[in-house]
Amino acid sequence: MWNWTHLGIFFALCLLVCLCGFKKYVYFMSIGYGFSVAIIGAAMIVMSIIGIYPATIAHYVQFVLFIVYGFRLSGFLLIRELKNAAYRKTLAEATGD
């Protein structure tokens, strides 16, 4: 069963992937969020494989969906940031960057 230690592990992993926010602070809330969801899904898979939490097939499907959703979201945001000049201009005006 999950406990507070596992929550602490998830929190530390999310902090690690949110370090991209030090490049631009909006990355904490956008790209960092997506990668955090993905890393939690991956951590749950690892924790269930090593026997911390007994998981069923339905759990594994959910874990994989977390990973897919997180990468899809962050990938979309990264591509939009890198390839769309109009969005970069709007973001710079909105954030005062």
Side-chain angles (χ1 to χ4, degrees):
M1 188 49 93
W2 301 108
N3 63 30
W4 288 104
T5 305
H6 303 129
L7 184 63
I9 292 169
F10 298 147
F11 181 68
L13 289 170
C14 290
L15 286 176
L16 184 67
V17 297
C18 281
L19 289 175
C20 63
F22 285 110
K23 181 162 174 71
K24 286 188 179 179
Y25 75 91
V26 287
Y27 288 175
F28 284 119
M29 300 167 283
S30 60
I31 296 168
Y33 168 72
F35 285 141
S36 293
V37 172
I39 199 77
I40 287 174
M44 287 179 170
I45 288 175
V46 169
M47 293 171 97
S48 64
I49 288 173
I50 63 175
I52 293 175
Y53 181 76
T56 64
I57 297 298
H59 289 111
Y60 285 111
V61 169
Q62 182 180 6
F63 301 157
V64 169
L65 287 174
F66 284 161
I67 295 169
V68 169
Y69 168 74
F71 279 118
R72 185 209 55 88
L73 175 63
S74 290
F76 167 76
L77 294 171
L78 276 172
I79 291 169
R80 181 177 68 175
E81 174 78 21
L82 298 174
K83 294 195 175 192
N84 192 338
Y87 175 75
R88 281 194 305 263
K89 181 182 176 200
T90 303
L91 184 63
E93 291 171 359
T95 61
D97 201 12

